[in-house]
Short mmCIF file of all heavy atoms in Angstrom, two decimals:
data_model
loop_
_atom_site.label_atom_id
_atom_site.label_comp_id
_atom_site.label_asym_id
_atom_site.label_seq_id
_atom_site.Cartn_x
_atom_site.Cartn_y
_atom_site.Cartn_z
N PHE A 45 -7.97 -30.12 -73.41
CA PHE A 45 -9.18 -30.63 -72.75
C PHE A 45 -9.19 -32.13 -72.96
O PHE A 45 -9.52 -32.60 -74.04
CB PHE A 45 -10.44 -30.02 -73.38
CG PHE A 45 -10.55 -28.54 -73.19
CD1 PHE A 45 -10.39 -27.67 -74.25
CD2 PHE A 45 -10.84 -28.00 -71.94
CE1 PHE A 45 -10.51 -26.30 -74.08
CE2 PHE A 45 -10.96 -26.64 -71.76
CZ PHE A 45 -10.79 -25.79 -72.83
N VAL A 48 -8.02 -33.46 -76.35
CA VAL A 48 -8.04 -32.41 -77.37
C VAL A 48 -7.06 -31.30 -77.02
O VAL A 48 -7.10 -30.75 -75.92
CB VAL A 48 -9.45 -31.80 -77.49
CG1 VAL A 48 -9.50 -30.77 -78.61
CG2 VAL A 48 -10.48 -32.89 -77.70
N ALA A 50 -6.45 -27.71 -77.41
CA ALA A 50 -7.17 -26.52 -77.86
C ALA A 50 -6.20 -25.40 -78.23
O ALA A 50 -6.45 -24.62 -79.14
CB ALA A 50 -8.14 -26.05 -76.79
N GLY A 68 -10.15 -16.61 -86.63
CA GLY A 68 -9.84 -18.00 -86.95
C GLY A 68 -11.10 -18.79 -87.11
O GLY A 68 -12.16 -18.38 -86.63
N PRO A 69 -11.01 -19.92 -87.80
CA PRO A 69 -12.20 -20.74 -88.04
C PRO A 69 -12.81 -21.26 -86.74
O PRO A 69 -12.18 -21.20 -85.69
CB PRO A 69 -11.67 -21.91 -88.88
CG PRO A 69 -10.27 -21.59 -89.23
CD PRO A 69 -9.79 -20.52 -88.34
N ASN A 70 -14.00 -21.81 -86.83
CA ASN A 70 -14.65 -22.40 -85.65
C ASN A 70 -13.76 -23.45 -85.02
O ASN A 70 -13.16 -24.26 -85.71
CB ASN A 70 -15.98 -23.06 -86.04
CG ASN A 70 -17.03 -22.03 -86.38
OD1 ASN A 70 -17.49 -21.94 -87.50
ND2 ASN A 70 -17.40 -21.23 -85.41
N GLY A 71 -13.69 -23.40 -83.70
CA GLY A 71 -12.91 -24.40 -82.98
C GLY A 71 -11.42 -24.14 -83.00
O GLY A 71 -10.62 -24.97 -82.58
N ALA A 72 -11.01 -22.94 -83.47
CA ALA A 72 -9.58 -22.64 -83.57
C ALA A 72 -8.94 -22.43 -82.20
O ALA A 72 -7.73 -22.54 -82.04
CB ALA A 72 -9.37 -21.41 -84.44
N GLY A 73 -9.77 -22.11 -81.21
CA GLY A 73 -9.22 -21.90 -79.86
C GLY A 73 -9.30 -20.45 -79.38
O GLY A 73 -8.69 -20.09 -78.37
N LYS A 74 -10.08 -19.62 -80.06
CA LYS A 74 -10.16 -18.20 -79.70
C LYS A 74 -10.76 -17.99 -78.31
O LYS A 74 -10.20 -17.28 -77.47
CB LYS A 74 -11.01 -17.44 -80.74
CG LYS A 74 -10.54 -17.65 -82.18
CD LYS A 74 -11.41 -16.95 -83.18
CE LYS A 74 -12.83 -17.47 -83.28
NZ LYS A 74 -12.96 -18.84 -83.82
N THR A 75 -11.91 -18.62 -78.09
CA THR A 75 -12.56 -18.48 -76.79
C THR A 75 -11.68 -19.07 -75.69
O THR A 75 -11.58 -18.51 -74.59
CB THR A 75 -13.94 -19.18 -76.81
OG1 THR A 75 -14.75 -18.55 -77.80
CG2 THR A 75 -14.63 -19.07 -75.46
N THR A 76 -11.04 -20.18 -76.01
CA THR A 76 -10.13 -20.79 -75.03
C THR A 76 -9.00 -19.84 -74.67
O THR A 76 -8.61 -19.74 -73.51
CB THR A 76 -9.57 -22.11 -75.61
OG1 THR A 76 -10.66 -22.94 -75.99
CG2 THR A 76 -8.72 -22.83 -74.58
N LEU A 77 -8.49 -19.12 -75.67
CA LEU A 77 -7.40 -18.18 -75.39
C LEU A 77 -7.89 -17.04 -74.48
O LEU A 77 -7.20 -16.65 -73.54
CB LEU A 77 -6.83 -17.63 -76.71
CG LEU A 77 -5.62 -16.70 -76.59
CD1 LEU A 77 -4.51 -17.32 -75.74
CD2 LEU A 77 -5.06 -16.35 -77.97
N GLN A 117 -19.25 -15.16 -75.43
CA GLN A 117 -19.83 -15.54 -76.72
C GLN A 117 -21.29 -15.97 -76.56
O GLN A 117 -22.16 -15.54 -77.29
CB GLN A 117 -18.99 -16.68 -77.31
CG GLN A 117 -19.44 -17.15 -78.67
CD GLN A 117 -18.46 -18.17 -79.24
OE1 GLN A 117 -17.38 -18.41 -78.70
NE2 GLN A 117 -18.83 -18.76 -80.36
N GLU A 209 -16.89 -12.39 -79.76
CA GLU A 209 -17.91 -12.34 -80.82
C GLU A 209 -19.09 -11.42 -80.47
O GLU A 209 -20.24 -11.86 -80.39
CB GLU A 209 -18.41 -13.75 -81.14
CG GLU A 209 -17.25 -14.66 -81.53
CD GLU A 209 -17.65 -15.88 -82.33
OE1 GLU A 209 -18.81 -15.95 -82.78
OE2 GLU A 209 -16.79 -16.74 -82.52
N HIS A 242 -15.97 -13.05 -86.05
CA HIS A 242 -16.02 -13.72 -87.35
C HIS A 242 -16.34 -12.74 -88.48
O HIS A 242 -16.05 -13.01 -89.63
CB HIS A 242 -17.09 -14.82 -87.35
CG HIS A 242 -16.63 -16.09 -86.70
ND1 HIS A 242 -15.58 -16.83 -87.18
CD2 HIS A 242 -17.04 -16.73 -85.58
CE1 HIS A 242 -15.38 -17.88 -86.41
NE2 HIS A 242 -16.26 -17.84 -85.42
N1 ATP C 13 -14.71 -27.01 -71.88
C1 ATP C 13 -14.26 -27.73 -72.94
N2 ATP C 13 -14.13 -29.06 -72.84
C2 ATP C 13 -13.67 -29.79 -73.89
N3 ATP C 13 -13.32 -29.28 -75.05
C3 ATP C 13 -13.43 -27.94 -75.23
C4 ATP C 13 -13.91 -27.10 -74.17
N4 ATP C 13 -13.90 -25.82 -74.60
C5 ATP C 13 -13.44 -25.88 -75.87
N5 ATP C 13 -13.15 -27.13 -76.25
C6 ATP C 13 -12.59 -27.55 -77.57
O1 ATP C 13 -11.44 -26.78 -77.77
C7 ATP C 13 -11.37 -26.35 -79.12
C8 ATP C 13 -11.30 -24.82 -79.17
O2 ATP C 13 -12.58 -24.30 -78.79
P1 ATP C 13 -12.87 -22.76 -78.69
O3 ATP C 13 -14.22 -22.61 -78.10
O4 ATP C 13 -11.76 -22.06 -78.01
O5 ATP C 13 -12.90 -22.33 -80.22
P2 ATP C 13 -13.32 -20.95 -80.86
O6 ATP C 13 -12.18 -20.53 -81.71
O7 ATP C 13 -13.76 -19.99 -79.85
O8 ATP C 13 -14.52 -21.39 -81.80
P3 ATP C 13 -15.85 -20.61 -82.22
O9 ATP C 13 -15.50 -19.69 -83.32
O10 ATP C 13 -16.76 -21.69 -82.65
O11 ATP C 13 -16.34 -19.90 -80.99
C9 ATP C 13 -12.57 -26.95 -79.82
O12 ATP C 13 -12.15 -28.15 -80.43
C10 ATP C 13 -13.52 -27.24 -78.70
O13 ATP C 13 -14.34 -28.33 -79.01
#
Side-chain angles (χ1 to χ4, degrees):
Chain A
F45 295 109
V48 183
N70 288 115
K74 307 177 295 293
T75 299
T76 305
L77 184 52
Q117 182 173 352
E209 304 201 11
H242 280 298

